[in-house]
Amino acid sequence: MPDARRAGRFQWHRTHPLAFDAALATVFFAATLCGAVIDPHGPHGPRFGVRELSVTTVVLAGLACTALVARRRFPRSVLAATGALTVVELLARTDDPRAPVAFSAVLALYTVASRTDRPTTWRVGALTIVVLTAAAMLFGEHPWYAQQNVAIFAWTGMAAAAGDAVRSRRAYVDAIRERAERAERTREEEARRRVAEERMRIARELHDVVAHHIALVNVQAGVASHVMDNRPDQAKQALAHVREASRSALDELRATVGLLRQSDDPKAPTEPAPGLGVLDQLVEGFVRAGLPVDLEIPPAPQSLPASVDLTAYRVVQEALTNVHKHAGDGARATVRIIRSEAALTVTVQDDGGRADGPPPQRADEAAESGGGHGLIGMRERVFALRGTVVTGPRATGGFQVRATLPLHTTRPGETS
């Protein structure tokens, strides 16, 4: 939140453009009046308050600076108005040194250059520079090449160049941001497309494996039921065919599921499904592997639904595996489990390891690039229980996984 407030202060001129322009016009008006009463060529350097401030100077400066308030909405009109007031100030000057009303035209030219295209900047900038410089040399200080006259040429040229540079940089940043957003959308669409294609492929594989054998089992079971009383020998033969077909289906299913596994996936366990009751054993295994883990769990957790217990255990297992694989050297993990009347909240977070090491590729980034499916499987487990999962980097460094599992779940397709 403090970072957001600080960023908002830095972006105040963009969120309140009219107020910013009004404040800027006030500053320019004060600077113009101060410049009108300063004698830059005093015997001992510039002196303030030596010259008298005329009504003409105040009026022209006020009109030019007031026009600057609308410089964003009407940049060309404001440039034309401030340029004309600058020329009028040069023509209306008698023996008194002129006021720097041209500063307003310089700001207006910068605005035009920063908000239009480059050809327009060249045309409008060249015309402004020629008109204001010629007016200064003809009606300004003498001789025509005086410092004040050349300064108008320099300031207007720098204003046009600076505005064009700002416009180019803004366009470059916008193009980079647009490409990044387009790449993000493309990556998400590609990930969804790959998931859909993989599901279709698995469905086709399972259909091809199961459909034939199940149909054969159904036919042979019907035959056995029909001839059971009158021809027991044929019934035994049909049941033998059922046994053979079911064995073949199991073998092919095992082979298909084996193809879907990764090379480093563990083999299917034969012991009962684990739960939070053996969570300390899981944490101890990671500690022996070199990952310090702080476990915060109620001392005597009440009994949980079997599906919630297993899903919570798998969330912790997958999150700690990602920390061990993807976090930096010296990372430390924290597992926090909180139970309320309605839900069980599982939080696993790490500190990211040493700050001087290279930035690790997190598990979610690896999943998007095709290198792992841990978070995808975690989300599917939690969503099957009508829960929620929030994953992402922490503001203080590291990564966090938070899963909320309702204790009274309704399976998809069931009614409560």
Side-chain angles (χ1 to χ4, degrees):
M1 187 63 68
D3 294 339
R5 287 197 296 266
R6 189 180 301 111
R9 288 196 298 267
F10 288 145
Q11 300 295 328
W12 179 82
H13 66 285
R14 295 183 178 179
T15 57
H16 304 82
L18 187 61
F20 176 79
D21 288 339
L24 187 63
T26 303
V27 172
F28 266 68
F29 179 68
T32 302
L33 298 184
C34 291
V37 298
I38 290 178
D39 182 10
H41 304 294
H44 302 289
R47 297 180 61 188
F48 182 81
V50 176
R51 299 175 178 175
E52 294 183 0
L53 192 62
S54 63
V55 177
T56 303
T57 298
V58 175
V59 172
L60 293 176
L63 292 176
C65 294
T66 302
L68 293 177
V69 178
R71 66 186 184 94
R72 297 177 190 260
R73 295 187 59 186
F74 310 103
R76 300 185 187 182
S77 300
V78 172
L79 176 60
T82 54
L85 290 172
T86 301
V87 175
V88 170
E89 192 272 336
L90 293 172
L91 293 175
R93 184 185 68 86
T94 57
D95 293 334
D96 296 330
R98 66 177 183 272
V101 179
F103 286 167
S104 301
V106 170
L107 179 59
L109 179 58
Y110 165 82
T111 304
V112 170
S114 64
R115 304 181 72 86
T116 58
D117 53 13
R118 180 163 295 173
T120 302
T121 299
W122 280 102
R123 292 194 299 267
V124 176
L127 179 61
T128 304
I129 293 172
V130 169
V131 171
L132 295 185
T133 304
M137 291 180 176
L138 291 175
F139 308 106
E141 297 289 336
H142 297 288
W144 64 270
Y145 52 84
Q147 179 180 357
Q148 290 82 352
N149 302 332
V150 178
I152 290 182
F153 174 81
W155 279 104
T156 51
M158 286 190 296
D164 183 72
V166 170
R167 180 199 55 79
S168 299
R169 183 182 180 279
R170 187 185 299 123
Y172 176 73
V173 172
D174 292 342
I176 292 179
R177 184 181 295 109
E178 182 182 358
R179 285 198 297 268
E181 293 175 354
R182 185 166 59 250
E184 182 69 20
R185 290 193 300 268
T186 303
R187 184 163 57 250
E188 293 176 355
E189 293 173 358
E190 180 66 16
R192 287 193 295 267
R193 185 185 64 81
R194 288 185 179 182
V195 170
E197 291 180 354
E198 184 67 12
R199 289 179 175 175
M200 290 297 297
R201 187 185 70 82
I202 295 173
R204 288 193 298 267
E205 290 286 344
L206 293 178
H207 179 271
D208 294 340
V209 169
V210 175
H212 169 70
H213 295 288
I214 294 300
L216 182 60
V217 167
N218 182 60
V219 172
Q220 295 296 335
V223 172
S225 175
H226 181 69
V227 300
M228 178 67 70
D229 297 332
N230 299 327
R231 297 182 178 180
D233 295 338
Q234 289 187 6
K236 291 181 180 180
Q237 185 178 5
L239 291 176
H241 290 163
V242 169
R243 183 174 62 252
E244 182 180 357
S246 60
R247 183 184 300 111
S248 299
L250 289 175
D251 293 339
E252 293 190 20
L253 278 175
R254 188 178 297 109
T256 302
V257 174
L259 292 176
L260 297 177
R261 288 183 179 275
Q262 300 293 328
S263 59
D264 56 349
D265 285 345
K267 295 182 179 180
T270 56
E271 64 273 6
L276 296 182
V278 294
L279 187 60
D280 53 347
Q281 301 178 11
L282 174 68
V283 171
E284 183 180 359
F286 283 97
V287 172
R288 287 197 302 267
L291 175 64
V293 180
D294 296 329
L295 181 60
E296 300 178 12
I297 188 171
Q302 301 176 358
S303 60
L304 296 170
S307 57
V308 174
D309 197 17
L310 175 60
T311 300
Y313 179 90
R314 293 303 185 194
V315 168
V316 175
Q317 184 183 42
E318 180 60 34
L320 290 179
T321 301
N322 288 336
V323 174
H324 184 63
K325 288 183 178 180
H326 304 287
D329 296 335
R332 188 178 189 89
T334 301
V335 178
R336 185 179 299 108
I337 298 177
I338 301 175
R339 175 172 179 170
S340 63
E341 295 182 358
L344 182 73
T345 303
V346 180
T347 304
V348 181
Q349 58 188 16
D350 65 273
D351 56 8
R354 294 184 311 192
D356 56 350
Q361 184 187 28
R362 299 303 308 190
D364 53 348
E365 299 172 351
E368 290 181 357
S369 61
H373 306 283
L375 289 182
I376 297 177
M378 182 193 303
R379 290 191 180 97
E380 291 180 351
R381 283 180 178 274
V382 176
F383 292 165
L385 299 180
R386 305 300 191 196
T388 59
V389 177
V390 178
T391 62
R394 303 171 59 200
T396 58
F399 201 78
Q400 176 175 279
V401 175
R402 175 174 294 176
T404 303
L405 305 173
L407 298 180
H408 304 284
T409 59
T410 302
R411 295 282 185 174
E414 297 179 354
T415 57
S416 56

